Amino acid sequence: MAKVAIDDVRCGMTLAGDVLGKNGRKLLDAGTVLESGHLRVLRIWGVSAVDVAGGEAAGGARDDTCGDGESEALAAAHELAELRFALADRSHPAVDALYRCCLRDLGKEDRCPLPPPFPSVSDASLLPEAPDSPEALVAGDPALASFPDIYFRLQEAIADPRASAGSIAGIIGNDPGLSATLLRLANSPLYGLSRPIDSLARGVMLIGAGELAQLALGVAVADRFRDIPACCLTMRQIWEHAVGCAVLARVLAAHVGGVSQERLFVAGLLHDLGRLVLLRRLPVHMARAMTMAREARLPVAAAEHELLGFDHAAVGRALLAQWRLPQELADAVGGHHGQGAMARDACIVHVADMAAVAAGYGSNGSPVAPPLSAVAWDALGLEPSVLPVALSQAGRQVDDIVSGLLG
């Protein structure tokens, strides 16, 4: 028996002892002959070394593919899907539909394998003192004191019956970066227009002033958070998850009816806004929270609450309130984890968020999808068959929209 570092473990090696996660949960049994799916599981849960019989694999492959036979790929997909749905009630029809989609897609490719374990303070008592409320956290960052006034000027112009498409486009055109991003999004699969939009005025006429203003809101917020520390998650992972949730929220809104699809797109895009504030203001706490979530198979929001006494949803609500943005947007962002009575927008974002994690769009720091609120699902009156359709639509849009958003 020999202790082998995880980077040196190869397919074909046999475990000499049970492998336990840091929370004591058994991950793999002694005697398991390691395959590629097992290696991925060990890395997902931050295992650094394992006991291997003999320390070497007789004739084992020197990479993680292990032949990649069809049955092995299916077994690996099942294992990853089980991990991703560890907190979910699989007996719920909507969760079962998501699980089947996830299993199908993992059998092809895992869109977003997790990065290596995050650097983290192992003892929570050693963490620096944090603000005692979401409002104090937000107020402590002067850079977040106010929101760019372009959104408010757009709203004033839209409310003016004398405003033309050209005048609205002129307001946007005063910000070249915003203009370029909005044109990229207008020409992305989000709208699927048959002819390219080559000017903002044409975009206003084809897409609508209100819809373009909603996109401007999302883009302006994204621009505020381009300097997040990369110790926990990359900007690409963060915004791919946000866009995945946004696209799914927009698609679900179309099936629910009676709600603005663009408003739900922006609500989905900003649903983890509070996590961006936490990553910016309390990166050490967030590294600890994400490590806790990974090791204990918790939603990151639960780990945040345990460490801070509040979570990212509450921080997002506090920031949107400080910026005087619409209350319905603050309710959707602040309520998307099921806190208290959920408005319909919050219910849609909640379902979209779970589906985005299940589908592997980017990462929110946890490999585990949050539990689905049956109350939120029932409030939308949707059939489970909507979810595979929504995921199929989202899959054709997310990458292009992320590229349009980040440039």
Side-chain angles (χ1 to χ4, degrees):
M1 181 176 77
K3 181 76 75 174
V4 179
I6 190 64
D7 287 341
D8 296 323
V9 175
R10 306 297 174 193
C11 296
M13 290 181 174
T14 301
L15 292 177
D18 294 341
V19 179
L20 305 180
K22 293 182 181 179
N23 62 349
R25 185 189 296 269
K26 184 189 290 187
L27 300 178
L28 294 174
D29 293 318
T32 299
V33 178
L34 294 172
E35 299 175 353
S36 60
H38 300 131
L39 300 187
R40 294 171 77 189
V41 169
L42 294 176
R43 289 190 173 99
I44 284 173
W45 294 108
V47 175
S48 59
V50 295
D51 291 320
V52 174
E56 287 291 337
R62 293 302 295 174
D63 59 29
D64 291 352
T65 61
C66 305
D68 277 337
E70 183 176 351
S71 60
E72 183 183 332
L74 185 60
H78 272 285
E79 204 147 16
L80 279 169
E82 289 293 334
L83 288 173
R84 198 165 283 175
F85 284 78
L87 300 178
D89 176 9
R90 291 265 308 282
S91 67
H92 192 288
V95 176
D96 184 59
L98 282 174
Y99 180 87
R100 291 173 183 273
C101 291
C102 175
L103 184 61
R104 176 200 65 205
D105 292 341
L106 284 173
K108 303 172 187 175
E109 174 188 15
D110 186 7
R111 281 186 57 90
C112 189
L114 282 178
F118 310 118
S120 172
V121 175
S122 58
D123 184 351
S125 67
L126 300 178
L127 290 170
E129 186 174 356
D132 60 3
S133 71
E135 292 75 17
L137 179 70
V138 168
D141 189 344
L144 299 178
S146 62
F147 189 72
D149 68 350
I150 188 169
Y151 172 73
F152 301 105
R153 286 191 284 123
L154 281 172
Q155 292 297 332
E156 289 176 1
I158 291 168
D160 184 352
R162 298 168 297 176
S164 65
S167 63
I168 292 171
I171 294 172
I172 299 171
N174 287 327
D175 186 329
L178 177 63
S179 302
T181 302
L182 287 178
L183 279 175
R184 286 197 299 268
L185 290 175
N187 286 299
S188 77
L190 181 64
Y191 291 101
L193 298 173
S194 57
R195 295 179 59 189
I197 294 176
D198 55 7
S199 71
L200 288 171
R202 180 172 169 78
V204 172
M205 289 187 291
L206 291 180
I207 295 173
E211 288 77 4
L212 216 59
Q214 293 281 4
L215 283 181
L217 168 59
V219 171
V221 172
D223 283 341
R224 279 292 181 96
F225 292 93
R226 291 182 179 271
D227 57 349
I228 299 300
C231 63
C232 298
L233 296 169
T234 66
M235 285 300 294
R236 179 83 188 188
Q237 288 173 315
I238 290 169
W239 286 109
E240 186 175 341
H241 172 67
V243 169
C245 181
V247 173
L248 288 166
R250 187 174 187 267
V251 174
L252 292 174
H255 287 277
V256 170
V259 291
S260 165
Q261 295 179 41
E262 269 62 40
R263 186 178 75 234
L264 264 298
F265 178 85
V266 173
L269 190 67
L270 303 186
H271 78 286
D272 278 349
L273 174 63
R275 182 164 293 138
L276 294 173
V277 177
L278 289 169
L279 285 167
R280 175 188 174 105
R281 299 273 284 117
L282 302 173
V284 178
H285 292 77
M286 284 307 298
R288 172 63 180 160
M290 291 182 184
T291 299
M292 286 175 59
R294 176 180 290 196
E295 292 176 356
R297 300 188 188 184
L298 293 171
V300 183
E304 291 165 353
H305 205 280
E306 184 171 332
L307 284 177
L308 301 169
F310 53 85
D311 64 14
H312 67 278
V315 176
R317 186 194 293 273
L319 181 57
L320 293 174
Q322 176 171 298
W323 283 345
R324 298 180 292 111
L325 294 181
Q327 185 63 45
E328 57 196 4
L329 181 60
D331 289 342
V333 168
H336 77 273
H337 281 302
Q339 303 93 327
M342 296 175 72
R344 187 159 54 164
D345 284 11
C347 293
I348 293 173
V349 175
H350 170 81
V351 175
D353 179 38
M354 185 203 176
V357 178
Y361 291 123
S363 178
N364 67 356
S366 172
V368 180
L372 177 70
S373 165
V375 173
W377 176 258
D378 291 344
L380 300 180
L382 296 173
E383 293 295 327
S385 58
V386 165
L387 293 171
V389 175
L391 288 172
S392 177
Q393 290 180 264
R396 297 191 293 269
Q397 300 182 24
V398 171
D399 288 340
D400 284 343
I401 296 173
V402 172
S403 297
L405 190 65
L406 296 182

